Amino acid sequence: RWGLSFQKASTTKQVEAAKPILRDISHLSKQLYQSLAKEFEFAFEEKGLLMLCQKEETLAEEIDLAHQALQLGLDAKILDKKGILELEPESSPNAVGAVYFPGDAHCSPTALMSELKSYLAQQKVPFFQSDLWSNYSIPNTQHTYNNHIRKLF
């Protein structure tokens, strides 16, 4: 039911309207990760994202995405084989071309969760293993949850 509603609402107009909002959320998310990386070790790296393409049609799709990114003010570089080798000199890619998004970053979610869990434990935050909670309400609000929630930690 939710999926069908989402599909009906996913019009070109809605997608276009959402692009700047998603870009801004992405920037805020990256800033949060940068902040967390100052306090925690979770293999956060800002090396960008290199999308190698073996087929011309795939490269054309990536180039279209690069143009959309550029229109949103994001950095994107379209690379031929020579450009790939300049970026990654020790590689021997089987690719017709690539698109490089230098502003992209990645981390190890497992390492991040481990660091956060350790930090919370040091702060004496209680963890409930395999507990079922029901009839949970949020203080000072009208929100009450009657579902059973399984704690993951």
Side-chain angles (χ1 to χ4, degrees):
R1 183 177 194 118
W2 177 90
L4 186 57
S5 295
F6 181 81
Q7 184 178 8
K8 286 180 183 178
S10 297
T11 64
T12 301
K13 182 180 176 183
Q14 291 283 34
V15 169
E16 290 300 317
K19 284 180 182 180
I21 297 164
L22 293 172
R23 177 209 51 216
D24 294 348
I25 290 170
S26 178
H27 280 303
L28 291 171
S29 175
K30 184 177 175 184
Q31 289 173 359
L32 177 59
Y33 279 104
Q34 288 168 330
S35 176
L36 287 171
K38 293 175 183 173
E39 297 182 45
F40 302 103
E41 289 292 326
F42 57 97
F44 180 70
E45 296 181 317
E46 298 182 74
K47 293 182 175 182
L49 174 66
L50 180 62
M51 298 296 292
L52 296 168
C53 303
Q54 293 181 327
K55 296 179 181 177
E56 290 290 343
E57 66 183 282
T58 308
L59 180 59
E61 291 172 5
E62 287 299 325
I63 290 172
D64 182 53
L65 288 175
H67 289 145
Q68 291 179 51
L70 291 166
Q71 288 175 346
L72 288 166
L74 301 172
D75 195 8
K77 297 180 182 349
I78 300 165
L79 306 174
D80 57 12
K81 272 192 164 189
K82 182 181 175 198
I84 296 168
L85 290 172
E86 287 174 5
L87 186 66
E88 293 288 335
E90 297 184 23
S91 67
S92 54
N94 179 20
V96 295
V99 174
Y100 177 54
F101 300 93
D104 206 63
H106 66 274
C107 72
S108 166
T110 304
L112 175 59
M113 292 307 295
S114 177
E115 287 278 318
L116 292 175
K117 188 175 177 185
S118 294
Y119 171 79
L120 293 171
Q122 289 171 4
Q123 302 303 311
K124 307 275 191 263
V125 173
F127 291 87
F128 301 93
Q129 303 231 349
S130 301
D131 282 356
L132 290 176
W133 289 28
S134 63
N135 299 322
Y136 178 76
S137 62
I138 300 174
N140 302 321
T141 70
Q142 302 269 331
H143 300 291
T144 301
Y145 299 94
N146 294 317
N147 302 4
H148 292 285
I149 303 169
R150 181 165 300 281
K151 300 304 282 181
L152 299 176
F153 298 105

